[in-house]
Amino acid sequence: MIIAVDVYYEEDKAKSVGVIFQGWGDSKPLEIITSYTENPLEYETGFFYKRELPCIRELLKPTDINQIHTIVVDGYVYLDNEKKPGLGHYVYTEFSEKIPVIGVAKSSFHDNEAFVKKLYRGKSTKPLFITSAGMELSVAAGHIQSMYGEFRFPHLLKLLDKQTKETRL
């Protein structure tokens, strides 16, 4: 199974959502899971993972992690051309580097071209920025390219974004 994860923050709470699906071309999730974190850490420039990783860890606690073969995060695996670790890298190391992680970002990050693949989907002239750990970058980009949906953002990732922000905390 594959799980795509995202976190939404509001004042002193965080809502984490995971969309679980079987295959890259799936149009519907197998399951959507949610968890809430009280008083998440404050955002610290350059250290986004410190805020996000505890929420993702909490979200995945009840999941049989042995059934997950890939994790997709909203963000980057590497933040620059020197491979400065981003959220995706920390998620990858959280699980002993046994579960590949794909980062899908909507905007570019300064000085970050070496380990990023720009991916154009649908008729969009604006790319997604794909990074990966534990999986060849071209394979990771191919997986995101093959996801269901005709628009720039794959259908299940759009569903994840909507679910994450849908109900106020």
mmCIF file of all heavy atoms in Angstrom, residues 95-122:
data_model
loop_
_atom_site.group_PDB
_atom_site.id
_atom_site.type_symbol
_atom_site.label_atom_id
_atom_site.label_comp_id
_atom_site.label_asym_id
_atom_site.label_seq_id
_atom_site.Cartn_x
_atom_site.Cartn_y
_atom_site.Cartn_z
ATOM 1 N N PHE A 95 11.777 5.607 9.503
ATOM 2 C CA PHE A 95 11.449 4.196 9.313
ATOM 3 C C PHE A 95 12.671 3.400 8.853
ATOM 4 O O PHE A 95 12.576 2.501 8.025
ATOM 5 C CB PHE A 95 10.271 4.060 8.355
ATOM 6 C CG PHE A 95 9.035 4.698 8.915
ATOM 7 C CD1 PHE A 95 8.613 5.929 8.443
ATOM 8 C CD2 PHE A 95 8.337 4.113 9.955
ATOM 9 C CE1 PHE A 95 7.500 6.552 8.984
ATOM 10 C CE2 PHE A 95 7.228 4.740 10.501
ATOM 11 C CZ PHE A 95 6.804 5.955 10.017
ATOM 12 N N SER A 96 13.831 3.760 9.416
ATOM 13 C CA SER A 96 15.088 3.040 9.209
ATOM 14 C C SER A 96 15.466 2.899 7.737
ATOM 15 O O SER A 96 16.095 1.918 7.345
ATOM 16 C CB SER A 96 15.006 1.651 9.852
ATOM 17 O OG SER A 96 14.661 1.751 11.203
ATOM 18 N N GLU A 97 15.050 3.857 6.927
ATOM 19 C CA GLU A 97 15.376 3.879 5.500
ATOM 20 C C GLU A 97 14.889 2.622 4.783
ATOM 21 O O GLU A 97 15.478 2.175 3.812
ATOM 22 C CB GLU A 97 16.875 4.090 5.294
ATOM 23 C CG GLU A 97 17.346 5.395 5.896
ATOM 24 C CD GLU A 97 18.819 5.677 5.716
ATOM 25 O OE1 GLU A 97 19.545 4.832 5.156
ATOM 26 O OE2 GLU A 97 19.246 6.765 6.124
ATOM 27 N N LYS A 98 13.776 2.058 5.272
ATOM 28 C CA LYS A 98 13.213 0.846 4.663
ATOM 29 C C LYS A 98 12.003 1.136 3.776
ATOM 30 O O LYS A 98 11.640 0.312 2.950
ATOM 31 C CB LYS A 98 12.822 -0.156 5.753
ATOM 32 C CG LYS A 98 14.018 -0.716 6.482
ATOM 33 C CD LYS A 98 13.609 -1.702 7.543
ATOM 34 C CE LYS A 98 14.853 -2.221 8.258
ATOM 35 N NZ LYS A 98 14.527 -3.060 9.392
ATOM 36 N N ILE A 99 11.369 2.292 3.965
ATOM 37 C CA ILE A 99 10.197 2.647 3.172
ATOM 38 C C ILE A 99 10.552 3.859 2.320
ATOM 39 O O ILE A 99 10.839 4.937 2.855
ATOM 40 C CB ILE A 99 8.979 2.970 4.070
ATOM 41 C CG1 ILE A 99 8.659 1.779 4.977
ATOM 42 C CG2 ILE A 99 7.770 3.329 3.200
ATOM 43 C CD1 ILE A 99 7.618 2.082 6.042
ATOM 44 N N PRO A 100 10.548 3.709 0.997
ATOM 45 C CA PRO A 100 10.859 4.851 0.133
ATOM 46 C C PRO A 100 9.881 6.004 0.358
ATOM 47 O O PRO A 100 8.705 5.793 0.673
ATOM 48 C CB PRO A 100 10.708 4.278 -1.279
ATOM 49 C CG PRO A 100 10.881 2.810 -1.122
ATOM 50 C CD PRO A 100 10.304 2.494 0.229
ATOM 51 N N VAL A 101 10.404 7.215 0.192
ATOM 52 C CA VAL A 101 9.592 8.417 0.356
ATOM 53 C C VAL A 101 9.709 9.260 -0.906
ATOM 54 O O VAL A 101 10.801 9.453 -1.440
ATOM 55 C CB VAL A 101 10.061 9.240 1.584
ATOM 56 C CG1 VAL A 101 9.321 10.576 1.667
ATOM 57 C CG2 VAL A 101 9.861 8.446 2.869
ATOM 58 N N ILE A 102 8.561 9.738 -1.360
ATOM 59 C CA ILE A 102 8.503 10.647 -2.507
ATOM 60 C C ILE A 102 7.992 11.990 -2.001
ATOM 61 O O ILE A 102 6.956 12.051 -1.343
ATOM 62 C CB ILE A 102 7.565 10.130 -3.610
ATOM 63 C CG1 ILE A 102 8.041 8.775 -4.133
ATOM 64 C CG2 ILE A 102 7.453 11.149 -4.754
ATOM 65 C CD1 ILE A 102 7.080 8.116 -5.117
ATOM 66 N N GLY A 103 8.723 13.036 -2.308
ATOM 67 C CA GLY A 103 8.290 14.390 -1.983
ATOM 68 C C GLY A 103 7.660 15.016 -3.208
ATOM 69 O O GLY A 103 8.224 14.953 -4.300
ATOM 70 N N VAL A 104 6.484 15.591 -3.025
ATOM 71 C CA VAL A 104 5.783 16.299 -4.106
ATOM 72 C C VAL A 104 5.544 17.726 -3.624
ATOM 73 O O VAL A 104 4.790 17.944 -2.678
ATOM 74 C CB VAL A 104 4.439 15.624 -4.464
ATOM 75 C CG1 VAL A 104 3.736 16.390 -5.573
ATOM 76 C CG2 VAL A 104 4.651 14.170 -4.866
ATOM 77 N N ALA A 105 6.220 18.669 -4.255
ATOM 78 C CA ALA A 105 6.090 20.076 -3.877
ATOM 79 C C ALA A 105 5.457 20.857 -5.018
ATOM 80 O O ALA A 105 5.659 20.533 -6.189
ATOM 81 C CB ALA A 105 7.452 20.649 -3.530
ATOM 82 N N LYS A 106 4.699 21.879 -4.647
ATOM 83 C CA LYS A 106 3.997 22.700 -5.646
ATOM 84 C C LYS A 106 4.815 23.892 -6.109
ATOM 85 O O LYS A 106 4.488 24.502 -7.114
ATOM 86 C CB LYS A 106 2.663 23.176 -5.067
ATOM 87 C CG LYS A 106 1.714 22.048 -4.735
ATOM 88 C CD LYS A 106 0.457 22.609 -4.059
ATOM 89 C CE LYS A 106 -0.165 21.587 -3.165
ATOM 90 N NZ LYS A 106 -0.078 21.844 -1.765
ATOM 91 N N SER A 107 5.848 24.230 -5.351
ATOM 92 C CA SER A 107 6.664 25.386 -5.745
ATOM 93 C C SER A 107 8.144 25.045 -5.635
ATOM 94 O O SER A 107 8.536 24.154 -4.885
ATOM 95 C CB SER A 107 6.320 26.604 -4.886
ATOM 96 O OG SER A 107 6.479 26.303 -3.530
ATOM 97 N N SER A 108 8.949 25.781 -6.385
ATOM 98 C CA SER A 108 10.388 25.515 -6.403
ATOM 99 C C SER A 108 11.036 26.050 -5.132
ATOM 100 O O SER A 108 10.488 26.900 -4.442
ATOM 101 C CB SER A 108 11.029 26.137 -7.634
ATOM 102 O OG SER A 108 10.912 27.541 -7.576
ATOM 103 N N PHE A 109 12.191 25.526 -4.865
ATOM 104 C CA PHE A 109 12.951 25.904 -3.690
ATOM 105 C C PHE A 109 14.301 26.400 -4.172
ATOM 106 O O PHE A 109 14.956 25.743 -4.987
ATOM 107 C CB PHE A 109 13.103 24.685 -2.772
ATOM 108 C CG PHE A 109 13.272 25.003 -1.322
ATOM 109 C CD1 PHE A 109 12.210 25.464 -0.576
ATOM 110 C CD2 PHE A 109 14.495 24.826 -0.699
ATOM 111 C CE1 PHE A 109 12.356 25.740 0.774
ATOM 112 C CE2 PHE A 109 14.653 25.097 0.648
ATOM 113 C CZ PHE A 109 13.583 25.557 1.386
ATOM 114 N N HIS A 110 14.736 27.532 -3.698
ATOM 115 C CA HIS A 110 15.991 28.152 -4.137
ATOM 116 C C HIS A 110 17.171 27.188 -4.048
ATOM 117 O O HIS A 110 17.327 26.470 -3.066
ATOM 118 C CB HIS A 110 16.267 29.393 -3.288
ATOM 119 C CG HIS A 110 17.567 30.055 -3.591
ATOM 120 N ND1 HIS A 110 17.792 30.722 -4.772
ATOM 121 C CD2 HIS A 110 18.718 30.120 -2.898
ATOM 122 C CE1 HIS A 110 19.028 31.192 -4.776
ATOM 123 N NE2 HIS A 110 19.614 30.834 -3.637
ATOM 124 N N ASP A 111 18.007 27.183 -5.086
ATOM 125 C CA ASP A 111 19.233 26.388 -5.123
ATOM 126 C C ASP A 111 18.954 24.899 -4.933
ATOM 127 O O ASP A 111 19.638 24.207 -4.174
ATOM 128 C CB ASP A 111 20.228 26.894 -4.062
ATOM 129 C CG ASP A 111 21.628 26.344 -4.281
ATOM 130 O OD1 ASP A 111 21.996 26.080 -5.446
ATOM 131 O OD2 ASP A 111 22.346 26.161 -3.282
ATOM 132 N N ASN A 112 17.914 24.412 -5.615
ATOM 133 C CA ASN A 112 17.535 23.015 -5.473
ATOM 134 C C ASN A 112 17.138 22.444 -6.832
ATOM 135 O O ASN A 112 15.962 22.300 -7.120
ATOM 136 C CB ASN A 112 16.381 22.889 -4.476
ATOM 137 C CG ASN A 112 16.131 21.451 -4.082
ATOM 138 O OD1 ASN A 112 16.893 20.566 -4.423
ATOM 139 N ND2 ASN A 112 15.051 21.224 -3.368
ATOM 140 N N GLU A 113 18.139 22.145 -7.646
ATOM 141 C CA GLU A 113 17.861 21.574 -8.956
ATOM 142 C C GLU A 113 18.456 20.181 -9.133
ATOM 143 O O GLU A 113 17.953 19.379 -9.901
ATOM 144 C CB GLU A 113 18.402 22.477 -10.082
ATOM 145 C CG GLU A 113 17.820 23.872 -10.122
ATOM 146 C CD GLU A 113 18.547 24.844 -9.194
ATOM 147 O OE1 GLU A 113 19.762 24.657 -8.946
ATOM 148 O OE2 GLU A 113 17.905 25.782 -8.702
ATOM 149 N N ALA A 114 19.542 19.890 -8.435
ATOM 150 C CA ALA A 114 20.301 18.658 -8.654
ATOM 151 C C ALA A 114 19.522 17.386 -8.318
ATOM 152 O O ALA A 114 19.698 16.371 -8.987
ATOM 153 C CB ALA A 114 21.604 18.693 -7.860
ATOM 154 N N PHE A 115 18.672 17.430 -7.317
ATOM 155 C CA PHE A 115 17.975 16.227 -6.876
ATOM 156 C C PHE A 115 16.459 16.380 -6.999
ATOM 157 O O PHE A 115 15.703 15.780 -6.244
ATOM 158 C CB PHE A 115 18.376 15.887 -5.433
ATOM 159 C CG PHE A 115 19.855 15.706 -5.299
ATOM 160 C CD1 PHE A 115 20.644 16.710 -4.759
ATOM 161 C CD2 PHE A 115 20.468 14.561 -5.759
ATOM 162 C CE1 PHE A 115 22.018 16.568 -4.654
ATOM 163 C CE2 PHE A 115 21.846 14.399 -5.666
ATOM 164 C CZ PHE A 115 22.620 15.405 -5.117
ATOM 165 N N VAL A 116 16.048 17.205 -7.952
ATOM 166 C CA VAL A 116 14.631 17.489 -8.185
ATOM 167 C C VAL A 116 14.303 17.214 -9.644
ATOM 168 O O VAL A 116 15.078 17.539 -10.532
ATOM 169 C CB VAL A 116 14.305 18.974 -7.874
ATOM 170 C CG1 VAL A 116 12.861 19.300 -8.222
ATOM 171 C CG2 VAL A 116 14.576 19.292 -6.423
ATOM 172 N N LYS A 117 13.162 16.611 -9.860
ATOM 173 C CA LYS A 117 12.663 16.430 -11.222
ATOM 174 C C LYS A 117 11.390 17.242 -11.357
ATOM 175 O O LYS A 117 10.468 17.095 -10.581
ATOM 176 C CB LYS A 117 12.381 14.960 -11.513
ATOM 177 C CG LYS A 117 11.800 14.729 -12.897
ATOM 178 C CD LYS A 117 12.303 13.453 -13.487
ATOM 179 C CE LYS A 117 11.741 13.195 -14.849
ATOM 180 N NZ LYS A 117 12.274 14.012 -15.896
ATOM 181 N N LYS A 118 11.371 18.114 -12.364
ATOM 182 C CA LYS A 118 10.156 18.865 -12.659
ATOM 183 C C LYS A 118 9.227 17.944 -13.423
ATOM 184 O O LYS A 118 9.631 17.299 -14.391
ATOM 185 C CB LYS A 118 10.462 20.101 -13.493
ATOM 186 C CG LYS A 118 11.221 21.165 -12.750
ATOM 187 C CD LYS A 118 11.459 22.364 -13.645
ATOM 188 C CE LYS A 118 12.270 23.416 -12.924
ATOM 189 N NZ LYS A 118 12.548 24.569 -13.794
ATOM 190 N N LEU A 119 7.984 17.898 -12.980
ATOM 191 C CA LEU A 119 7.002 17.005 -13.583
ATOM 192 C C LEU A 119 5.804 17.811 -14.053
ATOM 193 O O LEU A 119 5.186 18.523 -13.254
ATOM 194 C CB LEU A 119 6.561 15.951 -12.555
ATOM 195 C CG LEU A 119 5.502 14.970 -13.002
ATOM 196 C CD1 LEU A 119 6.032 14.054 -14.097
ATOM 197 C CD2 LEU A 119 5.030 14.152 -11.815
ATOM 198 N N TYR A 120 5.499 17.691 -15.324
ATOM 199 C CA TYR A 120 4.342 18.376 -15.902
ATOM 200 C C TYR A 120 3.244 17.351 -16.121
ATOM 201 O O TYR A 120 3.468 16.306 -16.724
ATOM 202 C CB TYR A 120 4.723 19.039 -17.232
ATOM 203 C CG TYR A 120 5.729 20.144 -17.060
ATOM 204 C CD1 TYR A 120 7.099 19.878 -17.092
ATOM 205 C CD2 TYR A 120 5.321 21.450 -16.829
ATOM 206 C CE1 TYR A 120 8.030 20.888 -16.910
ATOM 207 C CE2 TYR A 120 6.248 22.469 -16.647
ATOM 208 C CZ TYR A 120 7.595 22.182 -16.692
ATOM 209 O OH TYR A 120 8.514 23.181 -16.515
ATOM 210 N N ARG A 121 2.069 17.643 -15.604
ATOM 211 C CA ARG A 121 0.908 16.757 -15.758
ATOM 212 C C ARG A 121 -0.216 17.529 -16.420
ATOM 213 O O ARG A 121 -0.354 18.737 -16.243
ATOM 214 C CB ARG A 121 0.435 16.249 -14.392
ATOM 215 C CG ARG A 121 1.360 15.214 -13.771
ATOM 216 C CD ARG A 121 0.835 14.735 -12.422
ATOM 217 N NE ARG A 121 -0.599 14.661 -12.346
ATOM 218 C CZ ARG A 121 -1.330 13.540 -12.498
ATOM 219 N NH1 ARG A 121 -0.749 12.398 -12.716
ATOM 220 N NH2 ARG A 121 -2.640 13.573 -12.404
ATOM 221 N N GLY A 122 -1.049 16.790 -17.131
ATOM 222 C CA GLY A 122 -2.191 17.410 -17.787
ATOM 223 C C GLY A 122 -1.744 18.493 -18.747
ATOM 224 O O GLY A 122 -0.708 18.388 -19.388
#
